[in-house]
Amino acid sequence: MTEHDIQNQIRSALSETCVIFRANVGTICTKDGRYFSTGLPKGFSDLFGFRKSDGKAVFIEVKTPKGRPSAEQKKFLETMRNYGVIAGVCRSAEEALNLIKGD
């Protein structure tokens, strides 16, 4: 299963309790050869949004079972948690549900 598949499963599983968006990040080349960045900070999570019950922000870094978060991703999640935000690495919809309920 790909990271994209897991993202879609998580988004579906959280749809009743959260509003979740997928962050599309990276550098893009225009037809005329110019490059630009999407503007999100390094390490920004794959999925973000808020819990419907209380509006608390949510950031989820999605990984496959063997995937490992980068140093930037770990730092971003730690920073978000320090602000009291729900943030973590999830490898399945079940892990995401537990993350949301655990806070």
Side-chain angles (χ1 to χ4, degrees):
M1 182 174 303
T2 67
E3 195 174 288
H4 183 75
D5 294 332
I6 298 167
Q7 285 180 17
N8 287 338
Q9 288 178 352
I10 290 172
R11 290 174 69 202
S12 178
L14 295 181
S15 64
E16 293 200 20
T17 58
C18 297
V19 173
I20 297 291
F21 304 97
R22 180 172 177 251
N24 293 315
V25 297
T27 302
I28 298 169
C29 182
T30 62
K31 288 182 180 182
D32 61 357
R34 292 178 295 123
Y35 287 89
F36 70 93
S37 173
T38 59
L40 295 173
K42 272 195 175 284
F44 195 92
S45 296
D46 297 309
L47 301 176
F48 67 100
F50 61 91
R51 191 165 52 188
K52 292 178 183 178
S53 63
D54 59 6
K56 193 163 191 178
V58 174
F59 290 88
I60 300 173
E61 183 58 44
V62 179
K63 294 293 177 191
T64 63
K66 293 183 181 182
R68 299 289 173 251
S70 69
E72 290 92 354
Q73 291 166 337
K74 288 178 185 178
K75 183 178 179 183
F76 181 85
L77 292 171
E78 180 183 355
T79 300
M80 293 300 103
R81 284 191 295 269
N82 287 340
Y83 283 111
V85 169
I86 300 167
V89 176
C90 295
R91 292 173 166 75
S92 67
E94 182 179 355
E95 285 186 5
L97 288 166
N98 289 334
L99 177 70
I100 298 306
K101 292 177 187 174
D103 190 76

